Amino acid sequence: MSTIEWDDFQRIELRVGTVLSAIPNAKAIKPAYVLEVDLGELGVKTSSAQITDHYAAEELVGRQVLCVCNFAPKRIAGVRSEVLVTGVHDDENKVVLAGFDKPLPNGARLA
């Protein structure tokens, strides 16, 4: 594993957001949701997320997630994805979302 400097880590904008809506992305080759995420002062951002294995759309609404906010927007299956919702692959290669055990303000930055 290569190492990075503290300054490299600080350049990554990892922020807390609350999922406002989740709908299936009909254009996606692999099942995915189009998420609208409230990131506080950064506004509401869109993300395309392949998280359908463990999560139903309705249970995502209101859930807080950790997002990378400073990637350039990317078009994914017809959606302008503005943030990356983070997670980890489990032993079946299905994404488990990164999350928090206490409520946090939208837009709070990972320290």
Side-chain angles (χ1 to χ4, degrees):
M1 174 182 354
S2 63
T3 60
I4 63 172
E5 299 296 322
W6 181 251
D7 288 343
D8 296 324
F9 175 72
Q10 286 187 305
R11 289 182 29 222
I12 303 168
E13 289 279 332
L14 287 160
R15 294 188 180 255
V16 177
T18 300
V19 177
L20 299 177
S21 68
I23 58 170
N25 184 346
K27 294 183 179 180
I29 294 170
K30 294 181 181 178
Y33 294 125
V34 178
L35 306 177
E36 295 291 323
V37 182
D38 181 352
L39 289 153
E41 65 189 33
L42 298 179
V44 175
K45 304 292 183 182
T46 302
S47 183
S48 178
Q50 293 178 349
I51 55 173
T52 59
D53 290 316
H54 287 305
Y55 307 98
E58 57 274 6
E59 74 181 85
L60 290 167
V61 175
R63 182 185 180 109
Q64 289 200 298
V65 292
L66 182 65
C67 300
V68 178
C69 297
N70 61 335
F71 279 137
K74 183 176 183 178
R75 185 142 309 269
I76 301 172
V79 173
R80 184 174 186 263
S81 190
E82 301 170 292
V83 296
L84 173 70
V85 175
T86 63
V88 177
H89 288 98
D90 65 13
D91 58 359
E92 295 179 358
N93 206 35
K94 298 174 181 177
V95 176
V96 175
L97 290 170
F100 305 95
D101 62 355
K102 297 193 180 349
L104 295 163
N106 290 331
R109 188 167 181 192
L110 184 73

